Amino acid sequence: VYKAAHDKGVVVVGGGARSVGAAGGYALGGGHSPLGPKFGMAVDNIVQITLVTPDGKYRIANEYTNNELFWGLRGGGGSAWGVILTVTYKTHPALDNVLGGLFMFNATTPDHAFNFRATAFAALPGIVDKGFNGYVYLVGDTFSFGVLQPDSRADPTNTGDFTLANEALAPLLNYNTVHPGSGQVAIIWTKYPSYWDWYSKSIEDIYIGENTWAGGQLVTRDAFVNKPEQLADVTRSGGLVNFVAGGAVSKVDPDSVALNPAWRNDALASASILGFGFWPDSANATEIEWNQRQTTIVNQRLREIVGSGTGAYFNEADPLEPNWKELFWGNHYERLLRLKRSIDPENIFTCNRCVGSDL
């Protein structure tokens, strides 16, 4: 889809991995995106969906036809509403000044890794406010940040001067200067003539063919600013922090789609706990269950740190999430349940922790 849009001189909101489709579960689950802070979630950009509902009927859903179903499809989660046939997205003008970067900090000790992580978490809201977003990977004592500025203000003249970009990331880049011997710092900036050029050269598939089990939570600006040490502690086992919220995502009416309204509140990122969720092919059932339980335990600790009123991204949540109705949909769940009962009274379409799955 990105390539097709590029060939037409436009961009569309889509996923941040090659294995993520543009329709189906990605869209129905909400659809966070590298372009989210600029253009909103996938559900904010959908103008029409066609599907076959459980009664076997072909239906068109948009703002004018089957509008309640259209509301529920946009964020109500996959596998619960029927067979999706097509999803129509709005397009946006092409981006011709895209800045991408890769920042890495390799700590010399676990304590330095923890301290840097806390410093980075506290600084990241300010970096996001300067128009940067992206993906933070936490593996062992390494902190990696794949940075994106879709419509580059850091180099508005497109001259390759990255001074403003380096100034934005100064709290990260200067850490080793302030704390000598704490680790190795590196940053690589690259200018791209289009979003497709950035995506095709920067995004790789991860965790394909691996034994993984992840749990996710939305993390608020308040938590990053006021609880960075606690966030650094709960992510010691490893994780992925997607800075894909804020900006345009937070400016949409929270009741316009079924997505959890927490996305529109104070959320800046969707974090996944990954460290306990890997096991070798040789692992037995007891070892696998231990990994799964530990992921749930740590994920609940993350939720306690962030506090009440938060949420989780349906597509990347813990499959054993105990508070799934609240975390996935917030106060939209009861409306979604009424819709589910009206179009699928026999609960033909169901899955683990989707709307009505406990009926």
Side-chain angles (χ1 to χ4, degrees), residues 280-333:
D281 291 339
S282 59
N284 58 41
T286 300
E287 293 168 332
I288 293 172
E289 290 174 4
W290 183 89
N291 276 272
Q292 294 171 344
R293 286 197 305 272
Q294 289 302 309
T295 299
T296 299
I297 290 169
V298 176
N299 194 47
Q300 294 308 303
R301 284 182 54 208
L302 175 59
R303 185 189 180 197
E304 292 170 0
I305 293 169
V306 177
S308 61
T310 184
Y313 181 44
F314 176 82
N315 291 339
E316 297 172 355
D318 181 358
L320 297 179
E321 172 56 56
N323 304 298
W324 56 277
K325 296 177 184 179
E326 174 190 356
L327 277 238
F328 297 171
W329 295 291
N331 62 9
H332 287 165
Y333 185 78

Side-chain angles (χ1 to χ4, degrees), residues 22-353:
Y26 167 74
L28 271 63
H32 70 56
S33 171
L35 292 175
K38 185 167 181 62
F39 297 128
M41 304 282 286
V43 291
D44 304 327
N45 288 270
I46 294 174
V47 296
Q48 182 169 285
I49 296 174
T50 65
L51 72 159
V52 176
T53 46
D55 57 6
K57 294 182 179 180
Y58 170 82
R59 298 185 189 274
I60 297 172
N62 55 43
E63 291 286 0
Y64 307 98
T65 304
N66 295 309
N67 60 337
E68 182 68 5
L69 177 58
F70 186 52
W71 175 86
L73 290 170
R74 291 175 294 160
S79 303
W81 312 102
V83 179
I84 304 301
L85 301 178
T86 66
V87 176
T88 304
Y89 285 91
K90 69 174 70 171
T91 62
H92 301 275
L95 303 170
D96 59 5
N97 189 15
V98 178
L99 178 61
L102 177 61
F103 169 87
M104 295 191 70
F105 179 82
N106 295 310
T108 53
T109 68
D111 285 344
H112 283 313
F114 171 84
N115 292 331
F116 176 83
R117 192 173 295 182
T119 298
F121 283 155
L124 276 161
I127 295 172
V128 170
D129 289 343
K130 291 181 173 65
F132 294 88
N133 58 282
Y135 302 90
V136 169
Y137 299 87
L138 307 171
V139 180
D141 295 335
T142 299
F143 180 106
S144 303
F145 183 20
V147 195
L148 172 68
Q149 193 176 54
D151 192 9
S152 182
R153 300 190 297 274
D155 180 23
T157 59
N158 202 19
T159 60
D161 181 356
F162 303 127
T163 301
L164 294 178
N166 288 330
E167 289 177 355
L169 268 66
L172 311 186
L173 292 170
N174 296 338
Y175 185 86
N176 197 42
T177 302
V178 179
H179 304 279
S182 58
Q184 296 177 324
V185 174
I187 182 75
I188 300 173
W189 293 111
T190 306
K191 294 303 299 289
Y192 299 91
S194 71
Y195 180 73
W196 167 246
D197 280 290
W198 170 81
Y199 182 88
S200 62
K201 296 173 183 175
S202 303
I203 298 297
E204 297 180 356
D205 288 328
I206 58 174
Y207 310 130
I208 293 177
E210 297 187 36
N211 301 312
T212 63
W213 187 278
Q217 298 278 329
L218 299 185
V219 184
T220 60
R221 175 184 296 270
D222 177 75
F224 282 115
V225 172
N226 295 311
K227 301 177 181 179
E229 291 84 6
Q230 294 179 58
L231 292 176
D233 183 59
V234 78
T235 55
R236 283 182 188 269
S237 64
L240 172 62
V241 187
N242 307 309
F243 283 88
V244 290
V249 172
S250 63
K251 296 175 182 178
V252 176
D253 177 359
D255 295 323
S256 62
V257 296
L259 184 73
N260 189 332
W263 279 96
R264 317 300 188 181
N265 189 7
D266 193 36
L268 277 188
S270 176
S272 296
I273 301 299
L274 296 172
F276 291 106
F278 293 88
W279 56 86
D281 291 339
S282 59
N284 58 41
T286 300
E287 293 168 332
I288 293 172
E289 290 174 4
W290 183 89
N291 276 272
Q292 294 171 344
R293 286 197 305 272
Q294 289 302 309
T295 299
T296 299
I297 290 169
V298 176
N299 194 47
Q300 294 308 303
R301 284 182 54 208
L302 175 59
R303 185 189 180 197
E304 292 170 0
I305 293 169
V306 177
S308 61
T310 184
Y313 181 44
F314 176 82
N315 291 339
E316 297 172 355
D318 181 358
L320 297 179
E321 172 56 56
N323 304 298
W324 56 277
K325 296 177 184 179
E326 174 190 356
L327 277 238
F328 297 171
W329 295 291
N331 62 9
H332 287 165
Y333 185 78
E334 290 304 318
R335 181 177 171 184
L336 282 165
L337 186 59
R338 290 193 297 270
L339 175 63
K340 173 68 172 177
R341 285 170 169 160
S342 70
I343 71 162
D344 189 12
E346 297 182 13
N347 210 26
I348 295 173
F349 287 87
T350 188
C351 67
N352 174 42
R353 286 164 170 75

